Amino acid sequence: MLRRRLNRLLGGDERRVDSRTIYVGHRSSSTTEAFIPPKFCDNRIVSSKYTVWNFLPKNLFEQFRRIANFYFLIIFLVQVIVDTPTSPVTSGLPLFFVITVTAIKQGYEDWLRHKADNEVNKYPVTVLEQGRKIRKESEKIKVGDVVEVEEDETFPCDLILLQSSRDDDTCFVTTASLDGESNHKTHYTVPDTEKDLESLNATIECEQPQPDLYKFVGRMHIYKNEQEPAVRSLGPENLLLKGATLKNTQKICGVAVYTGMETKMALNYQGKSQKRSAVEKSINAFLLVYLCILVSKALVCTTLKYVWQSKPGQDEPWYNEKTQREKDTNLYLKMFTDFLSFMVLFNFIIPVSMYVTVEMQKFLGSFFITWDKDFFDPEIKEGALVNTSDLNEELGQVEYVFTDKTGTLTQNNMEFIECCIDGFQYKYRDANSELDGFCVTDGPVNKVQEKAGREREELFLRALCLCHTVQVKESTKQSQGDGLIDQVDGFGVDGEVPRPPQEQRGFIASSPDEVALVKGAMRYGFTFLGLESKTMKILTRNNDVEMYELLHVLNFDPVRRRMSVIVRSKSGDTLLFCKGADSSIFPRVRQEEVERIRMNVERNATEGYRTLCVAYKYLSAEEYAQADAGLREARLALQDREEQLITIYNQVETGMSLIGATAVEDRLQEEAAETMEALQGAGIKVWVLTGDKMETAKSTCYACRLFQRNTELLELTVRTLDDGGRRREERLHELLLEYHKKAVQDAPPVKAGVTRTWSSATQDYGFIIDGATLSMVLNSSSESNSSRYKNLFLQICQNCASVLCCRMAPLQKAQIVKMVKNSKGSPITLSIGDGANDVSMILEAHVGIGIKGKEGRQAVRNSDYAIPKLKHLKKLLLAHGHLYYVRIAHLVQYFFYKNLCFILPQFLYQFFCGYSQQPLYDAAYLTMYNICFTSMPILAYSLLEQHICMEVLLDNSTLYREIAKNAMLRWGPFLYWTLLGVFHGLLFFFGVRYLFSNPALQDNGQVFGNWSYGTIVFTVLVFTVTLKLALDTRHWTWINHFVIWGSLAFYMFFSFFWGGIIWPFLKQQRLYFVFANMLSSVSAWLVIILLILLSLLPEILLVVFRKPRGPHARQIAAVTPLSYKHLKERE
Amino acid sequence: MMASSYNAKEEDGHNSGASNNGGAGVVKSKKPDNTAFKQQRLPAWQPILTAGTVLPAFFVIGLIFIPIGIGLFVSSNNIKEFEIDYTGVDINNPCYNCAKNFSWNSTTPCVCSVPFTLEQPFESNVFMYYGLSNFYQNHRRYVKSRDDSQLNGDQSALKNPSKECEPYRTSEGQPIAPCGAIANSLFNDTLELYHIDSNGTRNTIPLVKKGIAWWTDKHVKFRNPGGNNNLTVAFQGTSKPVNWRKPVYELDPSDPENNGFINEDFIVWMRTAALPTFRKLYRIIQKKSSTTPTLPSGKYLLEITYNYPVLSFDGRKRMILSTISWMGGKNPFLGIAYITVGSICFFLGVVLLIIHHKYDTRNNSPDIPN
């Protein structure tokens, strides 16, 4: 940000000029003009925040911007300036510690960013200079350099395409990492440039960098020996964007126009907004409460001090005179400094160390995710990745999961499963493919003839081979990736079946289904060889090459939901092949054929396959002539071209005969259904957001058991809107109200706690909406409707078990997430996806999860957590998330509690020392309490606690509901902990107070002073607080033992040590032998034991009493490891 | 802000390359270690507090605490304590005049005698305390007004006391030794105890002034500058605290081991009290023989050299005679607390037993699911 602003400032006058001029290859346009190379920024990408030099000031500045750190800084400064009861060290040391630890962490993270930056910046690129190819580091590219890029390389900066190795002066590019569109886009070289780049003398004039990816305006002046320069206009089709990848083209040359931070991609990058977890919000709320307590304590003390002092003789008795300076100070100023002093005295109530402990807990805790071997995927040989450790606990709070379909729920790996010809079922058997056992298969391919007639069968296969828009990938170079499938849709190398190398071919298509079908036909022996000048070549089973002249393609569109081709065979027959969804094909074929196939299609559909029906018809010469004329005419039409075309299409596609149907599987991810079921069991609502077709998405939802057989589907799509034949708006209104009535008003009022099982008698609803309708809902014509629709829509959705949103643009996905995120109760959302098109929703949701899928690493990089497979989500949420939440919630509550009972005695002591801000504890204790004596046990607890063991958490997904809605950090529990802290504080102070009514506590009659008093209270405090944690610990590993008993032992040791020596650097030897003397007194021992026991008594009782009572008795009983064992034994 | 922006552009096309080049070596290291710690499977003890486990503990606690409590209570009750207020607020008090006519500048000490009667004999060693009320020794300004290095015999601190001692740091241009408000306000009443015979004669009761301060204080924390000999020389160039009648090296001229900074009365005073009402050990009356009580019942006379004014801040002065048990002085609080807590525990034990019993029977029937 800063850098960009700086750039803007520095580049001020450059910017005023609306365009920049680039000298291609740094050759000046004309020899006469003086050549002043314009200055542009270099091609370095800087994502790191700091450099070695500015790290310290910048980091400190950023850290003190945090309200808590700033508060502690202020306290520290007050201590330095004002005469306060505790030395600045007591708060300065912890603050220093916190700042240092955070700085180290941030420094480390920035170092990683530097490393990643360097990786990009030092990436070698080839630059043409004076006809030579020079390898350079990417960061050294300057504007005007001619850069050469080879196939599958990423463009290092924004380039104007000058030359391509392809004959047609084009190149193919995917911009998957920019906008998520993974199809190949064609870009063109600047027309009529010289082939010889060396002699090219040209300048480019183009606009200043701007973030819009699809806009580019420029001109190119080409100078040829003293002639008038030729001018070519440049558009976005000439611009190759940094981040896009060159495909299908051996190499290209281009001239750099925008570099580094001025590339469109860099400009497009919106800074990842800092995600804050709900826990952090709770902490801040609690902090506010404690701040109020603190201020009121200080106010009470200040007021009482002046009331007390007004009594004669109290303020300044003869034995305790004020210094001259004190006497001279203005009364109000003194009151103010007194107030500040009290603030300082009680400031420990807001634990400085909590932040550092929380931070450490998060940082260290996230390693457990990385380390978890259950997240290791042997296929990609990687485990989980944690990008942010700030959100660990949020994983335990998820209420909505937004998942992408393709690549997340499914593997995005279309496979031809079976087909049916004339009602006979064919299933391809392959040793490698795993087939479900429940399908009745009728035998391998060679028995095909025995089923349907050979003629019909070949016709069907020809139809598959011809009726598509697939292109054969040109390059026949050996694909070294054995079975490696590119991320581009539909480009696959069939590596499963061993074939002669020349037949190893890739297909490119807009839809992966088509590729799957063509490949399916290939398996049965019919190979599509390619389209050459309107002629489609296919290789038949008998190794004959058949040629078909492609006459027309009747394109696919989502409304017709079918596509056709009209071809002419060698023999002169004109044929129309049509394939499409059953619903659109069946009405157009002879009805007697339908029944035979319908059964198969329906069976396939319920199994979650994508089904297509194939039909054909012979066109007589007249028919064809008519259709041909109609099509040509329609294509030339200027008005209503679409409608006219569709009319013609519909005319042609009638009276066909049905040949068969196909079933293509987009395989579900492993354990997708189980995962979804577990999530739903955990009370999480799963929304599927996909760009895919509704039918496909729906079948996937069924397959994932998101929709069950008894789920009533509420559809709000373009189709249902068009049903009534009325205006869409009206229909939308009507449907929304109807669904709302159904799902919200008529639904029995369920309480959050009661809905234990989803598959109960109550009706489940599933909601389906598509992109077009969604935008109607969100952007309704009238303002008032808009918000109303939005509300209705949200309410319906929230009452549905699952929601399916199909045909979503990436931005719409984010919109939906945002809408839910900001809805009532601000539920915690989680987005999971694998592709670049999911990035927007991953960034938008509270927690973004990337799947290390096939579609590049974009999602992973922008995610907060990345996992190899969808199935890992279950453990991530149910086990890790749950545990993290419980840990951190306990950590936070415990921290506030322990500091409250730490400071309360000190507050109470003011009533006995004339409100003089006399600290009860020694400075060393004040400082060390949070850093050393009580920090380690809670840290160990918050890293290792498993109040319920992982297996149980995974098996009983309902346990997740128990911590839903921030259950452990709501005001109820907070009040409980606060009261506990108050109770303990009161007990500690007054217990010792009554003991000290006679300070002769030693058996030799000697008396104890105020430091002994404080030490006894402090000892009770440290022990109680630590033992309280021990009571809460359900999972005692050796580390817990070591840390808990270790810190108690350390306290003892430290106290002896601290009191055992006259410390030369101390002004006062307050604690000299105080601790040892305390231990020599039996009464002190007795009171310590008594108070510890008494403080813990209610806690023990509560634990014991809570067990048998309460509504959750059973569950808790079933959950505790012991009884869990019992359960296991029973089973 | 710009964090990981470049990530977007990371070579997508290099995926295949990366996985090929990555090689087995890199890949292997990525597999998480299968250690118990990393997999969060450390063997763990998982205690569960149930009525069954807590129940015995309650009984045990009850059974231990009640006897201790009774023991404490009894021994506290057995401690003999006698307390007498000699402030002189009341006009009938023998010290009324001394209190009334107190003046910092008076040269002649005001002496008053308070007669009292001990109803019961005091066996074993008797400890004599003076008690002050409404005296804020724990006031912050007071507590910090001392210089421990000076008291430890540090020469430079002797000549240049800490700033904390203000306004009792210097007097008449010379550093005060010992400096500070605590030292300045040293309790300087002299108490003497006489036993009045049946025939009216006053027998002085010997008061031991050793062993009243903490051993470590006397021997380590407090030291005279330049050893215990020739204190007059050692303290040359320093001034006495303003409210003192004599300099520090004349606190106990009779005994060099009890003079100067290591005077035990001084050390006791320097240990600031925790609460505004406190007592401090003054003298010990040692037991003479096993047959006669240390202080037999009868009439006594307390003779006070009244030097210490407390009326100005509404304070009180007391003299306390007390015997001591293993738990220290008389304090019924601990005993009562122990008996109460023990009884509560025992009671809870009984309640828990009943609940546990009931719950158990319920539990054996259909309560466990499945």
Side-chain angles (χ1 to χ4, degrees), chain A residues 47 116 123 265 269 319 371 381 861 887 909 917 946 951 995 998 1000 1005-1006 1010 1036 1069 1077 1083 1086, chain B residues 3 6 9-10 14 27 32 39-41 45 129 136 140 144 148 213-214 272 274 309 327 329-331 338:
Chain A
S47 65
Y123 188 79
M265 190 196 54
Y269 176 79
Y319 58 85
W371 284 336
K381 295 202 166 59
R861 293 223 174 79
R887 288 167 183 173
Y909 192 56
Q917 300 124 21
Q946 295 176 37
E951 285 77 18
L995 183 75
N998 181 352
Q1006 292 170 357
N1010 65 322
W1036 285 80
Q1069 313 293 334
N1077 257 315
S1083 294
L1086 288 174
Chain B
Y6 57 87
K9 64 251 42 153
E10 234 255 305
H14 289 284
V27 163
Q39 299 307 319
Q40 304 194 58
R41 293 197 184 284
W45 172 54
Y129 297 91
Y136 283 83
R140 182 161 75 92
K144 69 175 183 179
D148 277 346
W214 290 13
T272 47
M327 55 165 284
K330 195 181 183 81
N331 191 353
Y338 261 82

Side-chain angles (χ1 to χ4, degrees), chain A residues 336-350:
Chain A
F336 181 66
T337 53
D338 271 327
F339 174 74
L340 286 182
S341 292
F342 279 118
M343 289 281 282
V344 167
L345 188 67
F346 303 142
N347 89 82
F348 298 92
I349 201 171
I350 292 180

